[in-house]
Amino acid sequence: MMLSRYALLLALGMVTAVPAYAIDREQGLERVREQLMQSCAEGGMASCLGVEASRCGRLAEEVVQACAEYFVPAEQEQMAAFGDCIGRQTQQRTGVSEAELQSCQSHADGAAHASSSPEEAMRRLEDAKAVMAQDAEATRDAVTLPLYPDHELTAHHQDPSGLPGIEGEPLGEGAVPVAMMTTSDTVEDVVAFYQNRLDGFTLYREAADDATFAKGMPDDVTPSDFRRWMKALPLHEHVAIYRLSGKTHIEVGYQPD
């Protein structure tokens, strides 16, 4: 029982298309646990590992708990370590070797995903991201705040009401539209660009590689109070800037005309 490589890549690949406040760690871990339990119970995986199918749920829970510290969806290295940990913990708890585990995974993937290879899953992901980028380009004129000059648009959520919030619930009607983009420039470059271009915005900084300009946030809500901050931010105009996977990501939340 392993978390297949393409499932990890699928999770990582959507980071450029979803605002940071829509990534919830606990829900992500729960989805991983469910996937592991399903992969164990289906396709002959349990039998191959030498465990009863009825034990798959408990096994998945133990493995995910043991590896949870590595689960950081926004960090590729951490997610790679998470995948490696899943494999190691599965080996320790079932007594199979790495080669045997890989063989079981290949057999299960062949049975459960005969019509959908990892390559096909990645192709569908790239196609979906390309469509989102195209849609974003076509609707860029709707963004009412300045766009950073040297950027690549990755997504534009003109109706973000259905996006999941920090606690998993839909953001709702009060959420402002969000344009997502990346640049090879530094966080400091982007901060300098926006510094004098956002009237009435306050700059919040908690780390060198993370900055947010926001307007109208409650006085008692700051980034140090993470959950309250992430619940309030989608409802206000903002420009969030953060470093991720070798690129600087920019979220522009704006009030439509």
Side-chain angles (χ1 to χ4, degrees), residues 22-64:
I23 302 172
D24 183 81
R25 184 174 182 275
E26 292 306 317
Q27 287 194 330
L29 284 170
E30 179 61 21
R31 285 195 290 270
V32 170
R33 188 193 66 76
E34 290 174 354
Q35 182 182 347
L36 289 175
M37 182 173 64
Q38 183 177 357
S39 69
C40 172
E42 295 179 353
M45 188 67 162
S47 176
C48 187
L49 292 173
V51 301
E52 295 289 335
S54 59
R55 188 174 168 246
C56 285
R58 180 60 182 168
L59 180 60
E61 174 116 9
E62 292 174 353
V63 169
V64 169

Side-chain angles (χ1 to χ4, degrees), residues 9-243:
L9 292 172
L10 285 171
L12 287 169
M14 294 311 294
V15 170
T16 58
V18 179
Y21 51 71
I23 302 172
D24 183 81
R25 184 174 182 275
E26 292 306 317
Q27 287 194 330
L29 284 170
E30 179 61 21
R31 285 195 290 270
V32 170
R33 188 193 66 76
E34 290 174 354
Q35 182 182 347
L36 289 175
M37 182 173 64
Q38 183 177 357
S39 69
C40 172
E42 295 179 353
M45 188 67 162
S47 176
C48 187
L49 292 173
V51 301
E52 295 289 335
S54 59
R55 188 174 168 246
C56 285
R58 180 60 182 168
L59 180 60
E61 174 116 9
E62 292 174 353
V63 169
V64 169
Q65 283 184 352
C67 300
E69 65 181 292
Y70 300 108
F71 188 81
V72 185
E75 296 290 341
Q76 287 187 349
E77 290 186 2
Q78 286 290 97
M79 291 300 282
F82 178 71
D84 292 341
C85 179
I86 292 290
R88 290 195 308 273
Q89 290 295 327
T90 302
Q91 288 176 243
Q92 291 177 14
R93 284 168 167 74
T94 59
V96 300
S97 67
E98 181 177 0
E100 289 171 330
L101 182 58
Q102 292 285 356
S103 177
C104 288
Q105 182 69 43
S106 297
H107 176 76
D109 283 347
H113 303 288
S115 62
S116 179
S117 66
E119 291 77 14
E120 177 66 15
M122 285 302 301
R123 186 189 65 77
R124 289 199 299 270
L125 171 63
E126 292 303 321
D127 287 348
K129 289 172 66 178
V131 169
M132 283 191 289
Q134 278 186 333
D135 289 345
E137 286 291 344
T139 58
R140 67 164 55 242
D141 290 344
V143 182
T144 57
L145 291 179
L147 296 177
Y148 188 73
D150 185 16
H151 72 266
E152 177 183 353
L153 274 174
T154 56
H156 186 189
H157 301 282
Q158 290 185 278
D159 179 11
S161 59
L163 287 176
I166 187 65
E167 295 178 348
E169 77 292 351
L171 293 176
E173 295 299 323
V176 298
V178 180
M180 310 287 299
M181 64 199 79
T182 61
T183 179
S184 58
D185 294 345
T186 67
V187 168
E188 292 304 325
D189 290 334
V190 181
V191 169
F193 171 80
Y194 280 106
Q195 189 78 57
N196 298 313
R197 289 178 168 85
L198 299 171
D199 187 34
F201 283 67
T202 299
L203 174 60
Y204 300 85
R205 300 209 69 162
E206 288 289 305
D209 59 354
D210 189 326
T212 301
F213 293 91
K215 185 177 183 179
M217 292 286 282
D219 292 339
D220 62 341
V221 177
T222 65
S224 60
D225 189 349
F226 182 73
R227 297 193 75 83
R228 291 185 67 205
W229 174 261
M230 284 301 193
K231 290 185 73 172
L233 190 64
L235 308 179
H236 297 82
E237 288 187 285
H238 65 275
V239 177
I241 308 155
Y242 50 92
R243 196 72 181 169

